[in-house]
Amino acid sequence: MIVSGELAKVQQYIDGVLSGDIVVGELVRASVKRHLDDLERAENDPAFPYHFDFNSAEAACLYFPTCLRHSIGEFASMPFELEPWQAFGVAMVFGWKRDVDNSRRFRRVYWSTGRKNGKSTFAGGLALLLASMDVSPQTGKPESVAEVILCATKREQVEMIMFAEIQRMRNQSPAISGASKVVNKRLEFAHNKGSIRCIGSDKPYSGLNPSAVLKDELHEFREKVHRKFLETMDTGGGSRI
């Protein structure tokens, strides 16, 4: 039972969805039910190949208020406290692991939310987490040379919105600004050589080895026009677990 810490928000969200106090769509309700069913399977079924790492889930959620600060609006300079629905999503992505190698169970995530719900800020926080503190399942230490790619149909789009927000958050967050630098529109961390950079779909960018790819405005990509680019983004990190 989740009763304390950042994961208390996860339990709050689960309880609200199940009781109907939090109104969600069918797919979100199904994801909540899957989580609960799989927790039971992980405990009782030896053949079930996944487990939920409460410590990893808690650590990922804690990264936001501990390391990040809001950059604009009424919450500027204040710690980035996750809302329960955000905490649930972060916990699912970073908490569920594969028994065979302790790597993440969910490797492709679709995140959609209504306008003015802080999508760019949240995505920027995820990018900073993945570039600076993501843990390699092979070593148990921060991912070495973590390469986080922000992409959109046009590079200017992702630079002007998501990367600009990342830079503002960096400037507001002592823990991040003291450990990183921005050079030629590329944010770099010293301790693990991790980085965040932006690219657009005008080139296939072969040879990349990203540890994570965040695709902004996914609906703007077109199968025939952007297929090669999307394939490169999806397969570029194949050598990483």
Side-chain angles (χ1 to χ4, degrees), residues 168-190:
R168 289 192 296 266
M169 291 174 70
R170 173 190 177 273
N171 294 338
Q172 289 282 357
S173 305
I176 300 299
S177 60
S180 64
K181 62 181 179 179
V182 178
V183 180
N184 296 326
K185 296 185 178 180
R186 176 187 175 102
L187 191 149
E188 301 175 347
F189 288 93

Side-chain angles (χ1 to χ4, degrees), residues 19-77:
S19 68
D21 292 337
I22 298 176
V23 179
V24 298
E26 179 182 348
L27 295 179
V28 174
R29 182 178 294 276
S31 70
V32 169
K33 186 177 185 301
R34 176 188 61 195
H35 172 63
L36 296 177
D37 290 344
D38 287 354
L39 283 177
E40 184 175 352
R41 293 179 66 190
E43 183 176 353
N44 299 309
D45 183 359
F48 189 64
Y50 309 109
H51 65 278
F52 189 75
D53 186 333
F54 287 86
N55 290 331
S56 292
E58 174 85 6
C61 290
L62 271 173
Y63 179 87
F64 285 79
T66 302
C67 298
L68 304 180
R69 300 290 182 272
H70 287 284
S71 67
I72 58 176
E74 61 179 310
F75 300 113
S77 79

Side-chain angles (χ1 to χ4, degrees), residues 28-139:
V28 174
R29 182 178 294 276
S31 70
V32 169
K33 186 177 185 301
R34 176 188 61 195
H35 172 63
L36 296 177
D37 290 344
D38 287 354
L39 283 177
E40 184 175 352
R41 293 179 66 190
E43 183 176 353
N44 299 309
D45 183 359
F48 189 64
Y50 309 109
H51 65 278
F52 189 75
D53 186 333
F54 287 86
N55 290 331
S56 292
E58 174 85 6
C61 290
L62 271 173
Y63 179 87
F64 285 79
T66 302
C67 298
L68 304 180
R69 300 290 182 272
H70 287 284
S71 67
I72 58 176
E74 61 179 310
F75 300 113
S77 79
M78 296 178 62
F80 190 156
E81 298 285 351
L82 292 175
E83 294 293 324
W85 61 273
Q86 294 172 321
F88 176 79
V90 171
M92 296 305 102
V93 173
F94 290 91
W96 279 106
K97 307 278 188 71
R98 302 169 188 235
D99 289 345
V100 64
D101 56 13
N102 211 40
S103 63
R104 277 195 285 274
R105 173 186 182 182
F106 302 117
R107 304 184 183 188
R108 301 185 69 179
V109 178
Y110 176 74
W111 192 287
S112 178
T113 185
R115 297 187 64 216
K116 302 303 179 182
N117 274 280
K119 180 189 68 175
S120 296
T121 302
F122 178 71
L126 279 178
L128 287 164
L129 165 59
L130 289 163
S132 65
M133 294 296 291
D134 198 14
V135 176
S136 168
Q138 297 171 316
T139 66

